[in-house]
């Protein structure tokens, strides 16, 4: 419950509204002494859910799924997204007609929305890390579809918790700025580069307002 509460608090801090008790959860956090075996078993038993071939939305591909099932990571995750209409949030499946709400190259009529997030904590590999640090780490990966291979060493982020010698790292203002900017964007950019640029500009503006970095 403490872990759930922490994820919910971070969600509120970045502009999201967690559901009430008893709602249908879309973030599932599981713990097991052998996270690799658990992940492999879940993918084998529910291939249609995990396999990128059957995905209606974006995913990180087969290599990411292979890492999810075979890596020795102390924490692993898999996000499922779906394509929805950008203006209404209505699910949009393959072969469906798209309602065009505007013409031009600056917006898309569809966007990606996270549906389910599965996080597996490998209690046999997590090691000596504080509960607060682990909760912040889980909150970060629960609220963004992150690449587990991303090199975060040059950024002040809780995502470096297991990649550095510091096992006491907590969520930073950089992390909060990223999550806030991510969820504040409309998500209707015509390609990933423009969407990333929107998020980056928003982060720079927030950091400039806080006096932590120039907005350039």
């Amino acid at each position: 419950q403490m872990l759930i509460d922490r994820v919910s608090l971070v969600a509120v801090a970045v502009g999201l509204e967690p559901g009430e008790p008893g709602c249908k959860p879309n973030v599932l956090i599981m713990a097991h002494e052998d996270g690799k075996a658990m992940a492999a078993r879940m993918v084998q038993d529910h291939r249609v859910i995990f396999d990128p071939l059957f995905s209606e939305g974006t995913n990180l591909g087969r290599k990411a799924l292979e890492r999810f099932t075979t890596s020795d990571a102390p924490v692993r995750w898999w996000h499922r997204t779906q394509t929805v209409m950008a203006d209404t949030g209505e699910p949009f499946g393959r072969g469906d007609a798209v309602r065009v709400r505007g013409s031009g190259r600056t917006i898309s009529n569809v966007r990606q929305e996270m549906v389910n997030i599965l996080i597996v904590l490998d209690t046999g590999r997590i090691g000596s890390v504080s509960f607060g640090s682990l909760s912040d780490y889980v909150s970060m990966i629960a609220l963004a579809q992150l690449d587990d291979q991303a090199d975060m060493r040059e950024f002040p982020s809780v995502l470096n918790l297991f990649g550095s010698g510091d096992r006491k790292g907590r969520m930073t203002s950089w992390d909060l700025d990223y999550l806030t900017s991510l969820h504040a964007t409309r998500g209707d950019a015509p390609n990933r580069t423009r969407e990333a640029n929107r998020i980056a500009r928003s982060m720079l503006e927030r950091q400039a307002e806080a006096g932590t970095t120039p907005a350039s």
Side-chain angles (χ1 to χ4, degrees), residues 70-86:
T70 63
S71 78
D72 293 324
V75 181
R76 67 194 70 216
W77 58 88
W78 190 253
H79 294 66
R80 291 183 62 215
T81 71
Q82 66 178 358
T83 305
V84 301
M85 299 300 299

Side-chain angles (χ1 to χ4, degrees), residues 20-176:
E20 297 293 332
C23 68
K24 182 180 179 181
N26 58 359
V27 179
L28 180 61
I29 304 170
M30 309 176 71
H32 195 275
E33 62 183 6
D34 190 344
K36 181 192 295 186
M38 170 176 272
R41 186 167 62 251
M42 286 190 295
V43 172
Q44 181 179 0
D45 293 343
H46 306 283
R47 194 73 190 184
V48 174
I49 295 177
F50 287 94
D51 198 323
L53 178 65
F54 302 101
S55 174
E56 294 285 353
T58 61
N59 60 76
L60 297 179
R62 290 184 175 275
K63 290 185 177 180
L65 182 60
E66 182 179 356
R67 290 195 301 272
F68 176 77
T69 57
T70 63
S71 78
D72 293 324
V75 181
R76 67 194 70 216
W77 58 88
W78 190 253
H79 294 66
R80 291 183 62 215
T81 71
Q82 66 178 358
T83 305
V84 301
M85 299 300 299
D87 53 350
T88 65
E90 180 183 351
F92 171 79
R94 294 175 182 173
D96 290 350
V98 178
R99 293 190 300 274
V100 178
R101 59 190 174 93
S103 59
R105 299 181 179 180
T106 60
I107 60 173
S108 171
N109 291 287
V110 297
R111 60 180 171 83
Q112 297 301 316
E113 188 172 272
M114 285 193 289
V115 179
N116 300 109
I117 300 97
L118 175 64
I119 300 171
V120 179
L121 309 179
D122 192 325
T123 58
R125 295 184 179 275
I126 287 177
S128 58
V129 60
S130 73
F131 183 80
S133 296
L134 180 62
S135 298
D136 282 358
Y137 186 89
V138 170
S139 298
M140 189 71 181
I141 61 179
L143 299 176
Q145 187 178 20
L146 301 172
D147 182 358
D148 64 316
Q149 295 292 287
D151 186 353
M152 299 297 299
R153 288 175 295 181
E154 64 178 293
F155 302 103
S157 172
V158 72
L159 294 174
N160 292 307
L161 183 65
F162 295 104
S164 65
D166 181 13
R167 290 299 186 96
K168 298 180 181 180
R170 299 298 302 267
M171 184 166 284
T172 66
S173 59
W174 188 96
D175 293 322
L176 290 172

